[in-house]
Amino acid sequence: MRHRSQEPRWDPARQISVDHHSPVPLYFQVASQIEEAIASGALPVGARLDNEIELAGNLGLSRPTIRQAIGSLVDKGLVVRKRGAGTQVVFNRVKRSLELSSLYDDLSGIDQHPTTRVLVNEICHPPEEAARALGLSEQDEVLHLERVRFARGEPIARLRNYLPASLITPTDQELTDRGLYQLLRAAGIHLHAAQQTIGARTATDDEAELLDEPAGAALLTMQRITHDHTGTIVEYGTHVYRASRYSFDLTLRGDT
């Protein structure tokens, strides 16, 4: 029988270094290096850290210092403390810059291994809000899509999109294998600009179940109306994201 070779386990005692003379707090030095290991994949989802006593002893630090370091990672949603199982990596929180790109493309670009569960893929008459956003009547037909997007096997967003029915007719398998913007570009549609609104609210019971969050958990919301190069509206999207796993990054520039 052939055995799969295993990569060396990330060892905090060997790969975390602390500088007692630095003005940076010791707990922050430890937490930052563990966070970098999670971000790089050296500490993957499911990996367990040594217990606080072992970490403190191996690094020559006090247990309260290690407890504070782990606590800061818990607060960021990167690790959880499990009774009887120690501290476990649960997710690398995704930060997404505000660009005209799809979540699938963004997750692929940062090695988050996106996967998709298709909930709805149908031609129907649009609800009033979607019809208004697309500049259509409620008697027109649209493509209605609903999906759950996963990153490294963990649900991160519920995506709902409405598009003019004549643009594309994707199969469930195509929606599973590729991002919506990839499918639009493959159909010769040139995405040019979008109006986007970001907000926040609490999860409904259905959303909490889909996203593996407790009922009432905080969600980020995003609504987007996308135009092609001719100015025609080609998509109306309304999405929700787990606030514990996801954030939007904005770059603000002053006068030059």
Side-chain angles (χ1 to χ4, degrees):
M1 179 182 296
R2 296 180 61 184
H3 296 278
R4 183 181 296 177
S5 60
Q6 296 183 343
E7 295 182 359
R9 179 175 177 270
W10 192 82
D11 183 0
R14 293 172 58 87
Q15 286 155 303
I16 290 179
S17 60
V18 293
D19 182 355
H20 291 265
H21 301 292
S22 171
V24 178
L26 294 174
Y27 88 89
F28 189 82
Q29 294 183 45
V30 173
S32 297
Q33 291 173 72
I34 294 175
E35 185 171 351
E36 289 174 4
I38 294 172
S40 70
L43 273 176
V45 173
R48 287 181 171 82
L49 301 179
D50 295 337
N51 65 46
E52 292 176 0
I53 295 176
E54 291 174 337
L55 275 175
N58 288 333
L59 296 174
L61 299 172
S62 68
R63 187 175 179 185
T65 296
I66 297 300
R67 185 182 300 116
Q68 188 175 8
I70 299 301
S72 70
L73 297 172
V74 171
D75 291 342
K76 290 183 176 182
L78 298 175
V79 302
V80 292
R81 292 186 175 105
K82 294 187 175 182
R83 186 179 299 275
T87 302
Q88 187 174 13
V89 176
V90 290
F91 202 72
N92 178 12
R93 196 165 189 258
V94 174
K95 294 183 179 180
R96 182 182 183 185
S97 59
L98 292 182
E99 298 176 354
L100 186 49
S101 59
S102 71
L103 178 58
Y104 188 96
D105 293 338
D106 290 340
L107 293 174
S108 297
I110 57 174
D111 196 30
Q112 291 294 321
H113 307 296
T115 54
T116 304
R117 174 185 169 197
V118 178
L119 303 176
V120 177
N121 178 11
E122 65 178 4
I123 299 294
C124 65
H125 298 297
E128 180 182 358
E129 178 185 11
R132 185 169 59 251
L134 292 170
L136 302 174
S137 76
E138 293 181 54
Q139 285 68 49
D140 289 321
E141 290 190 333
V142 297
L143 172 64
H144 171 210
L145 304 174
E146 293 193 30
R147 294 151 293 151
V148 177
R149 185 80 80 221
F150 296 78
R152 292 186 178 271
E154 187 167 2
I156 191 170
R158 190 224 65 201
L159 314 175
R160 179 182 289 131
N161 298 83
Y162 295 92
L163 301 86
S166 59
L167 291 183
I168 56 173
T169 54
T171 65
D172 285 2
Q173 190 61 54
E174 287 174 327
L175 291 168
T176 299
D177 294 341
R178 304 175 70 184
L180 176 60
Y181 283 10
Q182 290 180 352
L183 296 172
L184 287 170
R185 292 186 182 104
I189 297 163
H190 302 284
L191 305 174
H192 176 67
Q195 295 89 43
Q196 184 162 278
T197 302
I198 296 171
R201 60 173 174 80
T202 57
T204 65
D205 290 345
D206 287 344
E207 290 167 342
E209 183 176 357
L210 282 173
L211 297 175
D212 195 23
E213 289 279 2
L219 298 178
L220 293 171
T221 65
M222 188 270 282
Q223 292 185 337
R224 177 184 283 184
I225 299 174
T226 306
H227 303 254
D228 68 9
H229 67 292
T230 69
T232 302
I233 297 173
V234 295
E235 175 221 9
Y236 170 60
T238 172
H239 310 327
V240 293
Y241 304 82
R242 299 174 70 181
S244 63
R245 302 288 186 267
Y246 196 88
S247 65
F248 291 102
D249 275 358
L250 299 88
T251 300
L252 305 178
R253 294 182 173 88
D255 295 335
T256 55

